[in-house]
Amino acid sequence: KMPASIPEADGRHRASAAFSLSFLSLVFSITAFSSSYWCEGTRKVAKPFCKGDSKGDLCIRFNSAEGNSSQAVQYIWETGDDKFVEKRFHAGIWFSCEELINEEGEKCRSFISLTPASDRGVLWLSIVAELLYVVLLLTGNILMSVEICYYSSVIDGLKINAFSAVVTVLAGLLGMVAHMMYTTVFQMTVNLGPEDWRPHTWDYGWSYGLAWTSFACCMAAAVTTINKYTKTILEFKHRRKKLERSFRIQYRFPEH
């Protein structure tokens, strides 16, 4: 009984590890897909003229407050970077938001509307691939949970295990393609997007890293599931050979 229980317990541990990795991948993918921090950076925009009594470094003081005649006008000349202010922005698959000057809050726009017309088809393919990635991950999680909780014959468990492995591998491939397509679209938007949006400096944000972490967890879950399936098949073959040898010995000795 002991040798038979050890492989079964090992299989349970592998199934639980695969489910945990797949569940983490699902949570990370949903969080990244719904957020707008795939890319972050700054935009360099011209400072507006100060209105009323507003002061500070975020606006240009055009004339003196007490001047009523043209002779009292006082110009403050600003050159180079002094004429500009940097506004932080962040963008995701759905929205691109940037902070407001001299005000609290952000102004958000649809990222799809900012994308060049020639690249919108690729962006929509990326969105569809991301949605399929989430759906396949959810399907894989359901199959793995059924495999863990549903006690049936080993053959049924192998069938569920094989199907969940195929689904998880397909999910990982779709996720990789979706992330790469979005990266390409964003870089094209940086170069060819609207003038009032193009960033001065930018880098990938935490959502982008979370999306690739989700892909890594998905592939780790797939490898663990395939490894469990392969090990179970090898154990079956090993036991079958043992049975065949024992039958041969039993039939050989009576002949002698």
Side-chain angles (χ1 to χ4, degrees), residues 31-105:
T31 304
F33 186 62
S34 58
S35 69
S36 59
Y37 286 86
W38 285 61
C39 299
E40 299 178 78
T42 57
R43 285 189 59 239
K44 186 179 283 189
V45 297
K47 292 180 181 178
F49 292 115
C50 296
K51 297 179 181 179
D53 295 331
S54 60
K55 297 180 181 179
D57 298 331
L58 299 179
C59 62
I60 300 175
R61 194 69 188 171
F62 185 70
N63 57 353
S64 61
E66 68 276 2
N68 293 323
S69 64
S70 60
Q71 296 178 352
V73 176
Q74 178 187 2
Y75 292 97
I76 298 177
W77 295 98
E78 298 190 7
T79 58
D81 291 336
D82 293 334
K83 292 176 61 178
F84 298 93
V85 63
E86 290 188 345
K87 296 169 60 177
R88 295 196 59 81
F89 84 97
H90 54 89
I93 293 178
W94 301 106
F95 295 104
S96 176
C97 302
E98 63 183 35
E99 62 181 354
L100 300 173
I101 301 177
N102 294 324
E103 295 181 29
E104 293 183 357

Side-chain angles (χ1 to χ4, degrees), residues 46-209:
K47 292 180 181 178
F49 292 115
C50 296
K51 297 179 181 179
D53 295 331
S54 60
K55 297 180 181 179
D57 298 331
L58 299 179
C59 62
I60 300 175
R61 194 69 188 171
F62 185 70
N63 57 353
S64 61
E66 68 276 2
N68 293 323
S69 64
S70 60
Q71 296 178 352
V73 176
Q74 178 187 2
Y75 292 97
I76 298 177
W77 295 98
E78 298 190 7
T79 58
D81 291 336
D82 293 334
K83 292 176 61 178
F84 298 93
V85 63
E86 290 188 345
K87 296 169 60 177
R88 295 196 59 81
F89 84 97
H90 54 89
I93 293 178
W94 301 106
F95 295 104
S96 176
C97 302
E98 63 183 35
E99 62 181 354
L100 300 173
I101 301 177
N102 294 324
E103 295 181 29
E104 293 183 357
E106 294 180 329
K107 174 186 175 183
C108 295
R109 290 181 284 180
S110 171
F111 184 74
I112 298 172
S113 64
L114 300 172
T115 308
S118 59
D119 295 316
R120 283 178 189 169
V122 180
L123 179 60
W124 279 112
L125 283 175
S126 174
I127 292 173
V128 171
E130 286 284 353
L131 288 172
L132 288 175
Y133 174 54
V134 173
V135 170
L136 287 176
L137 279 177
L138 180 61
T139 305
N141 272 270
I142 294 172
L143 289 171
M144 291 177 188
S145 62
V146 168
E147 182 188 358
I148 294 173
C149 302
Y150 178 65
Y151 296 95
S152 62
S153 65
V154 182
I155 300 300
D156 291 338
L158 274 176
K159 291 178 181 178
I160 297 174
N161 188 252
F163 193 52
S164 61
V166 171
V167 168
T168 310
V169 169
L170 286 176
L173 293 176
L174 273 174
M176 180 182 66
V177 171
H179 303 344
M180 293 176 67
M181 283 194 295
Y182 176 79
T183 304
T184 303
V185 170
F186 185 83
Q187 291 175 352
M188 293 299 294
T189 307
V190 168
N191 296 326
L192 303 175
E195 290 285 347
D196 63 343
W197 178 84
R198 293 184 192 177
H200 178 62
T201 59
W202 66 275
D203 201 352
Y204 297 109
W206 62 267
S207 295
Y208 188 80

